[in-house]
Amino acid sequence: MRLREIGAPDAARIAKREGQHKYDHGHVLVLGGPPAQGGAARLAARAALRVGAGLVTLACPPAALAENAARLDAVMLRALAGTEDLERLLADPRLSALCLGPGFGLTDRERDLVAVALDAGRPTVLDADALTLVSRERMLRQRLHPGCVLTPHAGEFRRLFPGTPEDEGSRAAAVREAAAETGAVILLKGAETLVAGPEGLAVHAATGARSAPWLATAGAGDVLAGLIAGLLGRGVREQEAAEAGAWLHVEAARGVGPGLIAEDLPEALPAVFRALGL
């Protein structure tokens, strides 16, 4: 099976131009979790903002507002007690993309919020806890749509698609079949990240000259989810956003190098963008 290699994104697609305002670059909504579990959602939100989203809002349980307010400035905050609050937020057509899952939670509340978010039909990144909920709940799986980008690691992928062969040689075929089954874009994380969707199957190999072993750190996947959500919010189509996010993620990590922690990744993006000529 021939795999297309993912290269640097088209700079023209992610550049900002004179005369534009923040709403020209989209508004991303990240759903956060309960108190003391908000770090993952904050990482995703900051990554979405750094990759160029015009606005980012983190919506979290009321009890978590103070914690998040103490850690965020440019990212806006909203209280999200339940599905009615989410429906009110989604009534704003300017919300252009959603990010669900990092540090989110696995209760009935979160299950119902994922259902409402999917029913909205907006471009949506599903990561971490959102993937676990989809793997458990048939009614969520049935709500997946072509605007969804799923970003599982190997274990999450096997839970989502039971019976997947575990040998490395079967990864590409399994990801392609998963994308065809769900209608969504699937990004299977790894040293060789696979992306499957309507534009075929592609691979980004963070090996050899592009090796980035320091990405094996807590929170790196949350940043990737935020990068993809930020690009979706800016109007980049789903598979292109997933592929560009994977490349930018690794390029930022290579710029930081040994000692990298997840918080470094969004801060490394300006240098990456300068190198791309933005």
Side-chain angles (χ1 to χ4, degrees):
M1 182 186 304
R2 184 172 178 79
L3 299 180
R4 174 172 52 83
E5 293 187 4
I6 296 170
D10 180 359
R13 295 285 289 126
I14 54 177
K16 292 189 174 184
R17 300 182 299 279
E18 290 183 18
Q20 293 183 313
H21 57 77
K22 59 190 176 185
Y23 278 108
D24 289 325
H25 299 288
H27 186 174
V28 176
L29 178 65
V30 179
L31 300 192
Q37 296 183 33
R42 290 193 294 271
L43 285 168
R46 190 165 182 84
L49 200 60
R50 276 290 188 192
V51 85
L55 304 93
V56 178
T57 293
L58 193 157
C60 62
L65 280 172
E67 170 192 326
N68 286 311
R71 300 295 304 276
L72 297 170
D73 292 311
V75 173
M76 298 182 293
L77 288 171
R78 293 290 184 273
L80 185 71
T83 56
E84 290 184 0
D85 291 332
L86 181 56
E87 288 166 352
R88 279 192 289 271
L89 285 170
L90 292 171
D92 184 347
R94 296 176 298 180
L95 279 175
S96 51
L98 309 177
C99 181
L100 312 177
F104 189 42
L106 296 169
T107 70
D108 290 350
R109 170 188 175 274
E110 287 78 47
R111 176 201 63 200
D112 294 343
L113 287 170
V114 173
V116 169
L118 290 174
D119 285 347
R122 312 274 172 92
T124 300
V125 178
L126 295 157
D127 187 46
D129 288 346
L131 295 175
T132 298
L133 288 166
V134 170
S135 71
R136 292 178 180 177
E137 301 283 349
R138 182 176 178 82
M139 68 94 168
L140 295 180
R141 192 185 191 93
Q142 292 171 336
R143 285 172 157 84
L144 295 175
H145 54 78
C148 294
V149 178
L150 279 62
T151 59
H153 57 58
E156 290 167 335
F157 186 82
R158 285 192 292 271
R159 290 195 294 272
L160 283 162
F161 305 100
T164 299
E166 295 193 20
D167 60 291
E168 195 67 17
S170 300
R171 289 175 80 238
V175 173
R176 185 172 60 179
E177 290 169 9
E181 175 191 332
T182 60
V185 170
I186 307 292
L187 182 151
L188 176 56
K189 293 181 282 198
E192 291 192 349
T193 292
L194 294 166
V195 180
E199 298 165 41
L201 185 65
V203 60
H204 181 273
T207 56
R210 282 189 62 76
S211 178
W214 288 91
L215 274 175
T217 185
D222 306 316
V223 172
L224 176 58
L227 293 177
I228 297 169
L231 292 167
L232 289 175
R234 298 186 64 193
V236 179
R237 65 187 183 276
E238 288 76 15
Q239 185 160 354
E240 183 183 1
E243 293 179 11
W247 189 92
L248 291 168
H249 193 236
V250 169
E251 196 68 8
R254 293 178 67 241
V256 176
L260 175 147
I261 60 174
E263 289 94 322
D264 297 330
L265 291 166
E267 311 317 307
L269 282 176
V272 173
F273 288 154
R274 284 194 294 272
L276 287 172
L278 271 68

